[in-house]
Amino acid sequence: MKKLLAVILTLVLTLTAASALAETELVVFGAASMTEALTQIGTMYEELHPDITLVFNFDSSGTLQTQIEEGAEADVFVSAGQKQMNALDVTADAEKNPNGQDFIITDTRFDLLTNTIVLIVPEGSDKGITSFEDAATDKVDLIAMGNSDVPVGQYAQDVYEYLGLWDQLNAEGKITFGTNVKEVLAQVEAAAVDCGVVYISDAATGTGITVVATAPEGSHKPVNYPAAVLKGTKHEQEARDFLEYLKGDECAKVFTDIGFQVPER
């Protein structure tokens, strides 16, 4: 009987200890181009913090913005563009946040990363595509870009407007639009298009593609990745701690290995 009581007591104490270490679930909304980096970092973070479980939702920044506006539960937002974060930031200019939306804890906002816009083609392509301008020639029948709700698509439009080719590409029906950068990458990987516009970090993680050009200097807005804690969080301190971790050297190495650039802070 004493042995049984001892076993029961041990079990109760074990369950109590497990309950005390109950996991906090942090939901991170991340731009699709952050998939590989944040997934790797998430594993690193959970090893250091066994009481934290990170749940990631990756999609285009515009889609994530809409989900946040519609009440999706999330703790952290990492966008691939300032536009989507500004629309949620009550301190942003009225032009950038016309509805005065107030979804982020403003003192947590910072620019986590920068990125580079590149043109990619299927590996082994014989079309002779070597520049963004080639999209307007008979070398290209179809080019993949993100749609207007996707930061990489907005940057691609900037580039082609800068080159004076945007209207031509649309008029000739040469553009196929993806709902996020991973979809654009997949179309090029599958050789379903002749070329596509992605971030260099996505090109680094893609297979069966070749980078043939970098967007001309000054042809698009800076590619910044702002991050912030969301006001709806039930775990503000844990969310703040995670953002601080993202600023550290270990994370910087993950980011740069993939192709991102880490700004000076």
Side-chain angles (χ1 to χ4, degrees):
M1 186 66 178
K2 288 182 178 179
K3 286 184 178 180
L4 178 60
L5 288 173
V7 170
I8 293 173
L9 180 59
T10 300
L11 180 60
V12 169
L13 291 173
T14 301
L15 292 174
T16 301
S19 177
L21 291 173
E23 294 177 342
T24 296
E25 187 176 274
L26 284 183
V27 180
V28 179
F29 277 25
S33 54
M34 299 287 293
T35 301
E36 292 81 10
L38 285 182
T39 299
Q40 182 177 342
I41 286 169
T43 299
M44 293 161 49
Y45 194 74
E46 288 176 348
E47 288 177 355
L48 292 171
H49 302 274
D51 57 326
I52 301 291
T53 296
L54 292 169
V55 177
F56 293 106
N57 176 27
F58 296 112
D59 212 320
S60 75
S61 299
T63 296
L64 297 177
Q65 174 198 331
T66 298
Q67 291 174 356
I68 292 167
E69 292 169 341
E70 292 177 347
E73 291 190 10
D75 302 290
V76 171
F77 180 35
V78 183
S79 173
Q82 301 287 12
K83 177 181 178 182
Q84 291 73 23
M85 189 68 78
N86 285 334
L88 304 175
D89 185 347
V90 72
T91 67
D93 296 341
E95 182 181 346
K96 298 174 181 177
N97 184 4
N99 297 319
Q101 298 195 113
D102 187 11
F103 284 92
I104 70 167
I105 300 176
T106 55
D107 74 325
T108 67
R109 179 176 176 175
F110 71 102
D111 288 343
L112 175 62
L113 302 167
T114 63
N115 213 332
T116 301
I117 301 297
V118 296
L119 186 71
I120 61 173
V121 301
E123 191 173 33
S125 170
D126 61 358
K127 294 295 188 77
I129 300 166
T130 60
S131 70
F132 278 79
E133 291 89 339
D134 282 338
T137 71
D138 58 8
K139 295 179 181 179
V140 173
D141 294 316
L142 207 55
I143 177 173
M145 302 182 194
N147 64 34
S148 61
D149 195 40
V150 181
V152 75
Q154 295 157 8
Y155 298 129
Q157 181 173 341
D158 285 348
V159 172
Y160 280 106
E161 287 181 342
Y162 173 86
L163 295 173
L165 301 173
W166 178 248
D167 291 340
Q168 178 185 338
L169 294 178
N170 279 278
E172 293 177 353
K174 285 192 170 186
I175 305 173
T176 177
F177 292 101
T179 59
N180 59 56
V181 70
K182 295 302 183 187
E183 189 173 309
V184 175
L185 178 65
Q187 290 185 55
V188 182
E189 288 176 327
V193 294
D194 299 308
C195 57
V197 182
V198 299
Y199 302 113
I200 196 167
S201 58
D202 290 289
T205 59
T207 57
I209 59 96
T210 301
V211 175
V212 294
T214 300
E217 187 174 352
S219 63
H220 58 81
K221 293 181 286 292
V223 184
N224 293 317
Y225 283 65
V229 176
L230 293 164
K231 275 200 165 180
T233 182
K234 297 175 184 177
H235 310 290
E236 181 179 334
Q237 188 56 56
E238 291 87 347
R240 285 177 177 269
D241 291 344
F242 179 63
L243 285 189
E244 282 301 310
Y245 180 72
L246 292 181
K247 298 177 183 178
D249 291 342
E250 287 185 346
C251 293
K253 185 177 187 311
V254 173
F255 291 134
T256 55
D257 283 350
I258 290 175
F260 292 100
Q261 298 90 49
V262 178
E264 292 186 11
R265 308 194 204 287

